[in-house]
C-alpha cells in the first residue's frame, strides 16, 4: 500500500540532500503508515512530523534520514536509540541490518510499540526507562541517536559511545534545537558538528528536562 507515495517521499528526501543508500533503501521498504494512528494515516507520506498520541510525535522522515545518515553506520553496527516513540526510527535501523537497542520512558507508548514490533517481526532490544542514563550493560554503541531534544548532551551517553562512534542529539530549548553530531575521538575527546533549526519533543529525564 502507498508505494507510489512512499517512493515520491524518498525522492524528495534525496532532493533535500540524503545520499546514504543504506538509509534510502530502508526508507523505501519500511511502511511508515504502519507506525501512525488511523486518524493521520493519510498523511503518512508527507515529509512532516505527525501526532502519535500521548503528546508525542513520529519524527519528520527527512529528520529520521538525516540523523541516521549522520551516524555513518555499517550493517551489524550496534545502535542505541533514546525515544522509541512510534518505533519507525527503530524499524529503519533494523531494516538496515543494525543491532538495535531502544529506550522509551512513556509506558503507554512503550507497550503499544512493543506489540507493533512483535506483529511485524522487528527485532530490537527494548527497555522502558530514562534513556538519558543510557544502557550501560550493552555499551559501547557504534551509534547513539536521541530522538527528543534536551538542554545538554548527557554524560552517560558520551561514556557509552564506542571510539569512532557517533552520537546524534538535538540540544537547545524546548521549542527549537540544534542537532549536535559528536564523534568520539578518544575517551573524553569529542569532535562536535552542529546543524541548526530542528524541532523535537522534549527529552525528559535525569540528564534532560525535569518533568513538570
Ligand atoms: N524515534 C521516534 C520519535 C518519537 S518522539 C519515532 O520514530 O517515532 C520522542 C520520544 O521520546 C517520545 O515517545 C518520548 O516519550 C520519548 N522520550 C522523551 N524523553 C525520554 C527519555 N529520557 N528516555 C526515553 N524516551 C524518552
Amino acid at each position: 500500500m502507498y508505494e507510489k507515495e512512499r517512493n515520491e517521499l524518498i525522492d524528495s528526501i534525496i532532493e533535500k540532500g540524503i545520499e546514504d543508500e543504506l538509509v534510502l533503501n530502508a526508507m523505501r521498504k519500511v511502511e511508515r503508515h504502519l507506525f501512525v494512528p488511523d486518524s493521520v494515516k493519510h498523511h503518512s507520506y508527507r515529509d512532516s512530523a505527525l501526532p502519535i498520541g500521548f503528546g508525542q510525535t513520529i519524527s519528520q522522515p527527512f529528520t529520521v534520514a538525516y540523523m541516521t545518515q549522520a551516524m555513518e553506520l555499517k550493517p551489524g553496527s550496534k545502535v542505541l536509540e533514546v525515544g522509541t516513540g512510534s518505533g519507525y526510527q527503530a524499524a529503519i535501523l533494523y531494516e538496515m541490518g543494525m543491532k538495535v537497542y531502544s529506550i522509551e520512558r512513556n509506558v503507554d507508548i512503550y507497550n503499544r510499540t512493543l506489540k507493533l514490533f512483535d506483529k511485524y517481526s522487528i527485532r530490537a532490544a527494548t527497555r522502558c526507562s530514562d534513556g538519558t542514563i543510557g544502557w550501560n550493560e550493552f555499551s559501547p554503541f557504534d551509534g547513539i541517536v536521541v530522538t527528543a531534544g534536551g538542554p545538554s548532551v548527557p554524560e552517560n551517553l558520551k561514556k557509552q559511545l564506542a571510539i569512532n562512534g557517533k552520537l546524534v542529539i538535538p540540544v537547545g530549548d524546548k521549542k527549537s534545537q540544534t542537532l549536535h553530531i559528536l564523534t568520539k575521538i578518544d575517551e573524553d575527546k569529542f569532535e562536535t558538528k552542529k546543524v541548526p533549526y530542528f524541532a523535537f519533543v522534549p527529552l525528559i529525564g535525569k540528564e534532560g528536562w525535569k518533568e513538570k
Side-chain angles (χ1 to χ4, degrees), residues 78 80 103 127 131-144 154-163 167 184 187 190:
K78 212 156 110 184
L80 175 67
I103 308 177
R127 175 178 179 175
T132 66
I133 59 176
W135 201 342
N136 203 17
E137 61 183 299
F138 292 110
S139 71
F141 298 97
D142 303 307
I144 301 179
E155 284 304 317
N156 281 303
L157 298 184
K158 287 165 78 171
K159 282 202 195 94
Q160 292 173 26
L161 192 63
I163 304 288
L167 164 59
K184 190 163 183 170
E187 284 311 325
F190 293 84

Side-chain angles (χ1 to χ4, degrees), residues 4-212:
K4 182 169 167 276
E5 287 87 345
R6 192 161 48 253
N7 283 324
E8 283 170 4
L9 171 67
I10 308 313
D11 288 346
S12 78
I13 284 170
I14 294 170
E15 272 166 34
K16 290 175 189 168
I18 304 299
E19 45 193 24
D20 185 330
E21 279 301 325
L22 201 55
V23 176
L24 292 168
N25 281 334
M27 291 189 79
R28 282 188 190 103
K29 287 217 183 94
V30 176
E31 301 182 298
R32 190 170 185 249
H33 66 272
L34 303 179
F35 297 84
V36 306
D38 284 346
S39 55
V40 295
K41 264 204 202 315
H42 54 297
H43 294 322
S44 299
Y45 297 100
R46 283 190 185 175
D47 193 14
S48 59
L50 295 170
I52 57 168
F54 311 103
Q56 304 302 324
T57 55
I58 178 171
S59 305
Q60 181 186 346
F62 171 76
T63 304
V64 172
Y66 192 90
M67 292 177 101
T68 310
Q69 174 170 278
M71 285 190 282
E72 293 178 16
L73 302 165
K74 291 181 198 75
S77 295
K78 212 156 110 184
V79 185
L80 175 67
E81 176 191 27
V82 175
T84 314
S86 69
Y88 178 69
Q89 166 81 74
I92 296 287
L93 291 167
Y94 177 66
E95 182 64 43
M96 289 168 67
M98 305 306 154
K99 294 192 197 86
V100 184
Y101 298 79
S102 188
I103 308 177
E104 170 58 54
R105 69 178 289 277
N106 179 307
V107 67
D108 297 309
I109 295 181
Y110 178 80
N111 286 328
R112 190 179 66 185
T113 300
L114 220 59
K115 279 192 205 134
L116 206 75
F117 284 174
D118 238 29
K119 186 170 173 191
Y120 297 114
S121 305
I122 295 161
R123 275 181 280 281
T126 59
R127 175 178 179 175
C128 189
S129 64
D130 173 10
T132 66
I133 59 176
W135 201 342
N136 203 17
E137 61 183 299
F138 292 110
S139 71
F141 298 97
D142 303 307
I144 301 179
V145 60
V146 182
T147 66
S152 61
V153 183
E155 284 304 317
N156 281 303
L157 298 184
K158 287 165 78 171
K159 282 202 195 94
Q160 292 173 26
L161 192 63
I163 304 288
N164 294 324
K166 294 199 191 266
L167 164 59
V168 184
I169 174 168
V171 177
D173 58 32
K174 285 188 183 166
K175 284 218 172 93
S176 90
Q177 302 90 31
T178 299
L179 203 61
H180 288 219
I181 303 166
L182 285 80
T183 307
K184 190 163 183 170
I185 308 296
D186 217 329
E187 284 311 325
D188 296 323
K189 192 160 180 259
F190 293 84
E191 251 171 38
T192 306
K193 187 182 150 195
K194 295 179 186 175
V195 189
Y197 313 125
F198 284 85
F200 286 81
V201 296
L203 178 71
I204 296 166
K206 197 159 169 271
E207 287 196 66
W209 298 105
K210 299 292 160 270
E211 200 168 10
K212 270 182 265 147

